[in-house]
PDB file of all heavy atoms in Angstrom:
ATOM      1  N   THR A1137     -17.841  21.497  13.461  1.00  0.00           N
ATOM      2  CA  THR A1137     -19.225  21.608  13.027  1.00  0.00           C
ATOM      3  C   THR A1137     -19.963  22.670  13.840  1.00  0.00           C
ATOM      4  O   THR A1137     -19.640  22.904  15.010  1.00  0.00           O
ATOM      5  CB  THR A1137     -19.944  20.251  13.155  1.00  0.00           C
ATOM      6  OG1 THR A1137     -21.240  20.362  12.580  1.00  0.00           O
ATOM      7  CG2 THR A1137     -20.081  19.805  14.600  1.00  0.00           C
ATOM      8  N   GLN A1138     -20.939  23.291  13.220  1.00  0.00           N
ATOM      9  CA  GLN A1138     -21.673  24.376  13.879  1.00  0.00           C
ATOM     10  C   GLN A1138     -22.483  23.881  15.069  1.00  0.00           C
ATOM     11  O   GLN A1138     -22.693  24.619  16.042  1.00  0.00           O
ATOM     12  CB  GLN A1138     -22.585  25.067  12.857  1.00  0.00           C
ATOM     13  CG  GLN A1138     -23.210  26.357  13.355  1.00  0.00           C
ATOM     14  CD  GLN A1138     -23.941  27.098  12.247  1.00  0.00           C
ATOM     15  OE1 GLN A1138     -24.178  26.552  11.177  1.00  0.00           O
ATOM     16  NE2 GLN A1138     -24.290  28.343  12.497  1.00  0.00           N
ATOM     17  N   GLN A1139     -22.901  22.602  15.015  1.00  0.00           N
ATOM     18  CA  GLN A1139     -23.726  22.096  16.107  1.00  0.00           C
ATOM     19  C   GLN A1139     -23.706  20.573  16.118  1.00  0.00           C
ATOM     20  O   GLN A1139     -23.877  19.931  15.083  1.00  0.00           O
ATOM     21  CB  GLN A1139     -25.167  22.580  15.952  1.00  0.00           C
ATOM     22  CG  GLN A1139     -26.082  22.233  17.109  1.00  0.00           C
ATOM     23  CD  GLN A1139     -27.449  22.876  16.973  1.00  0.00           C
ATOM     24  OE1 GLN A1139     -27.817  23.357  15.908  1.00  0.00           O
ATOM     25  NE2 GLN A1139     -28.223  22.886  18.046  1.00  0.00           N
ATOM     26  N   PHE A1140     -23.457  19.985  17.290  1.00  0.00           N
ATOM     27  CA  PHE A1140     -23.614  18.553  17.471  1.00  0.00           C
ATOM     28  C   PHE A1140     -25.089  18.235  17.759  1.00  0.00           C
ATOM     29  O   PHE A1140     -25.843  19.105  18.233  1.00  0.00           O
ATOM     30  CB  PHE A1140     -22.760  18.047  18.634  1.00  0.00           C
ATOM     31  CG  PHE A1140     -21.330  17.760  18.278  1.00  0.00           C
ATOM     32  CD1 PHE A1140     -20.295  18.413  18.930  1.00  0.00           C
ATOM     33  CD2 PHE A1140     -21.017  16.829  17.306  1.00  0.00           C
ATOM     34  CE1 PHE A1140     -18.983  18.140  18.616  1.00  0.00           C
ATOM     35  CE2 PHE A1140     -19.707  16.541  16.985  1.00  0.00           C
ATOM     36  CZ  PHE A1140     -18.673  17.197  17.639  1.00  0.00           C
ATOM     37  N   VAL A1141     -25.478  17.006  17.498  1.00  0.00           N
ATOM     38  CA  VAL A1141     -26.855  16.573  17.739  1.00  0.00           C
ATOM     39  C   VAL A1141     -27.201  16.782  19.212  1.00  0.00           C
ATOM     40  O   VAL A1141     -26.482  16.330  20.111  1.00  0.00           O
ATOM     41  CB  VAL A1141     -27.035  15.099  17.340  1.00  0.00           C
ATOM     42  CG1 VAL A1141     -28.422  14.596  17.739  1.00  0.00           C
ATOM     43  CG2 VAL A1141     -26.824  14.913  15.841  1.00  0.00           C
ATOM     44  N   GLY A1142     -28.298  17.492  19.465  1.00  0.00           N
ATOM     45  CA  GLY A1142     -28.769  17.687  20.819  1.00  0.00           C
ATOM     46  C   GLY A1142     -27.995  18.684  21.645  1.00  0.00           C
ATOM     47  O   GLY A1142     -28.225  18.798  22.860  1.00  0.00           O
ATOM     48  N   ARG A1143     -27.087  19.428  21.017  1.00  0.00           N
ATOM     49  CA  ARG A1143     -26.284  20.402  21.758  1.00  0.00           C
ATOM     50  C   ARG A1143     -26.509  21.798  21.190  1.00  0.00           C
ATOM     51  O   ARG A1143     -26.975  21.958  20.055  1.00  0.00           O
ATOM     52  CB  ARG A1143     -24.797  20.035  21.695  1.00  0.00           C
ATOM     53  CG  ARG A1143     -24.502  18.670  22.322  1.00  0.00           C
ATOM     54  CD  ARG A1143     -23.013  18.424  22.412  1.00  0.00           C
ATOM     55  NE  ARG A1143     -22.719  17.069  22.825  1.00  0.00           N
ATOM     56  CZ  ARG A1143     -21.489  16.572  22.952  1.00  0.00           C
ATOM     57  NH1 ARG A1143     -20.448  17.345  22.678  1.00  0.00           N
ATOM     58  NH2 ARG A1143     -21.304  15.330  23.341  1.00  0.00           N
ATOM     59  N   PRO A1144     -26.171  22.841  21.949  1.00  0.00           N
ATOM     60  CA  PRO A1144     -26.413  24.211  21.463  1.00  0.00           C
ATOM     61  C   PRO A1144     -25.504  24.574  20.309  1.00  0.00           C
ATOM     62  O   PRO A1144     -24.402  24.013  20.158  1.00  0.00           O
ATOM     63  CB  PRO A1144     -26.119  25.077  22.694  1.00  0.00           C
ATOM     64  CG  PRO A1144     -25.256  24.230  23.574  1.00  0.00           C
ATOM     65  CD  PRO A1144     -25.651  22.814  23.326  1.00  0.00           C
ATOM     66  N   PRO A1145     -25.925  25.511  19.471  1.00  0.00           N
ATOM     67  CA  PRO A1145     -25.081  25.981  18.371  1.00  0.00           C
ATOM     68  C   PRO A1145     -23.798  26.613  18.908  1.00  0.00           C
ATOM     69  O   PRO A1145     -23.759  27.157  20.011  1.00  0.00           O
ATOM     70  CB  PRO A1145     -25.948  27.024  17.666  1.00  0.00           C
ATOM     71  CG  PRO A1145     -27.340  26.737  18.111  1.00  0.00           C
ATOM     72  CD  PRO A1145     -27.238  26.170  19.490  1.00  0.00           C
ATOM     73  N   ARG A1146     -22.759  26.534  18.108  1.00  0.00           N
ATOM     74  CA  ARG A1146     -21.476  27.145  18.480  1.00  0.00           C
ATOM     75  C   ARG A1146     -21.363  28.489  17.766  1.00  0.00           C
ATOM     76  O   ARG A1146     -21.473  28.557  16.534  1.00  0.00           O
ATOM     77  CB  ARG A1146     -20.349  26.226  18.053  1.00  0.00           C
ATOM     78  CG  ARG A1146     -20.295  24.926  18.868  1.00  0.00           C
ATOM     79  CD  ARG A1146     -19.593  23.852  18.086  1.00  0.00           C
ATOM     80  NE  ARG A1146     -19.035  22.835  18.948  1.00  0.00           N
ATOM     81  CZ  ARG A1146     -18.423  21.743  18.498  1.00  0.00           C
ATOM     82  NH1 ARG A1146     -18.325  21.552  17.189  1.00  0.00           N
ATOM     83  NH2 ARG A1146     -17.923  20.865  19.327  1.00  0.00           N
ATOM     84  N   PRO A1147     -21.106  29.564  18.484  1.00  0.00           N
ATOM     85  CA  PRO A1147     -21.102  30.886  17.863  1.00  0.00           C
ATOM     86  C   PRO A1147     -19.814  31.272  17.160  1.00  0.00           C
ATOM     87  O   PRO A1147     -19.800  32.188  16.349  1.00  0.00           O
ATOM     88  CB  PRO A1147     -21.338  31.811  19.061  1.00  0.00           C
ATOM     89  CG  PRO A1147     -20.690  31.098  20.208  1.00  0.00           C
ATOM     90  CD  PRO A1147     -20.935  29.624  19.947  1.00  0.00           C
ATOM     91  N   TRP A1148     -18.738  30.549  17.463  1.00  0.00           N
ATOM     92  CA  TRP A1148     -17.423  30.996  16.974  1.00  0.00           C
ATOM     93  C   TRP A1148     -17.278  30.744  15.474  1.00  0.00           C
ATOM     94  O   TRP A1148     -17.716  29.732  14.939  1.00  0.00           O
ATOM     95  CB  TRP A1148     -16.318  30.254  17.720  1.00  0.00           C
ATOM     96  CG  TRP A1148     -16.525  30.286  19.205  1.00  0.00           C
ATOM     97  CD1 TRP A1148     -16.315  31.337  20.050  1.00  0.00           C
ATOM     98  CD2 TRP A1148     -17.038  29.227  20.014  1.00  0.00           C
ATOM     99  NE1 TRP A1148     -16.655  30.996  21.331  1.00  0.00           N
ATOM    100  CE2 TRP A1148     -17.107  29.704  21.342  1.00  0.00           C
ATOM    101  CE3 TRP A1148     -17.456  27.927  19.749  1.00  0.00           C
ATOM    102  CZ2 TRP A1148     -17.565  28.929  22.398  1.00  0.00           C
ATOM    103  CZ3 TRP A1148     -17.913  27.148  20.784  1.00  0.00           C
ATOM    104  CH2 TRP A1148     -17.966  27.646  22.097  1.00  0.00           C
ATOM    105  N   HIS A1149     -16.612  31.671  14.811  1.00  0.00           N
ATOM    106  CA  HIS A1149     -16.248  31.470  13.412  1.00  0.00           C
ATOM    107  C   HIS A1149     -14.918  30.726  13.308  1.00  0.00           C
ATOM    108  O   HIS A1149     -14.699  29.933  12.388  1.00  0.00           O
ATOM    109  CB  HIS A1149     -16.113  32.814  12.689  1.00  0.00           C
ATOM    110  CG  HIS A1149     -17.361  33.624  12.697  1.00  0.00           C
ATOM    111  ND1 HIS A1149     -17.500  34.808  13.397  1.00  0.00           N
ATOM    112  CD2 HIS A1149     -18.568  33.406  12.101  1.00  0.00           C
ATOM    113  CE1 HIS A1149     -18.712  35.298  13.222  1.00  0.00           C
ATOM    114  NE2 HIS A1149     -19.389  34.469  12.450  1.00  0.00           N
ATOM    115  N   VAL A1150     -14.034  31.010  14.231  1.00  0.00           N
ATOM    116  CA  VAL A1150     -12.701  30.433  14.225  1.00  0.00           C
ATOM    117  C   VAL A1150     -12.232  30.316  15.665  1.00  0.00           C
ATOM    118  O   VAL A1150     -12.627  31.114  16.519  1.00  0.00           O
ATOM    119  CB  VAL A1150     -11.729  31.325  13.399  1.00  0.00           C
ATOM    120  CG1 VAL A1150     -11.635  32.728  13.956  1.00  0.00           C
ATOM    121  CG2 VAL A1150     -10.348  30.698  13.250  1.00  0.00           C
ATOM    122  N   GLY A1151     -11.452  29.290  15.930  1.00  0.00           N
ATOM    123  CA  GLY A1151     -10.910  29.092  17.269  1.00  0.00           C
ATOM    124  C   GLY A1151      -9.414  28.875  17.208  1.00  0.00           C
ATOM    125  O   GLY A1151      -8.887  28.362  16.218  1.00  0.00           O
ATOM    126  N   VAL A1152      -8.736  29.283  18.281  1.00  0.00           N
ATOM    127  CA  VAL A1152      -7.304  29.051  18.434  1.00  0.00           C
ATOM    128  C   VAL A1152      -7.120  28.157  19.653  1.00  0.00           C
ATOM    129  O   VAL A1152      -7.564  28.497  20.752  1.00  0.00           O
ATOM    130  CB  VAL A1152      -6.539  30.380  18.621  1.00  0.00           C
ATOM    131  CG1 VAL A1152      -5.056  30.109  18.887  1.00  0.00           C
ATOM    132  CG2 VAL A1152      -6.712  31.269  17.391  1.00  0.00           C
ATOM    133  N   LEU A1153      -6.491  27.013  19.444  1.00  0.00           N
ATOM    134  CA  LEU A1153      -6.313  26.027  20.502  1.00  0.00           C
ATOM    135  C   LEU A1153      -4.847  25.922  20.877  1.00  0.00           C
ATOM    136  O   LEU A1153      -3.957  26.003  20.016  1.00  0.00           O
ATOM    137  CB  LEU A1153      -6.825  24.651  20.055  1.00  0.00           C
ATOM    138  CG  LEU A1153      -8.326  24.378  20.216  1.00  0.00           C
ATOM    139  CD1 LEU A1153      -9.174  25.378  19.441  1.00  0.00           C
ATOM    140  CD2 LEU A1153      -8.661  22.959  19.774  1.00  0.00           C
TER     141      LEU A1153
END
Side-chain angles (χ1 to χ4, degrees):
T1137 187
Q1138 190 172 13
Q1139 186 174 15
F1140 276 121
V1141 173
R1143 298 188 188 178
R1146 292 156 156 176
W1148 311 284
H1149 300 112
V1150 59
V1152 176
L1153 276 59

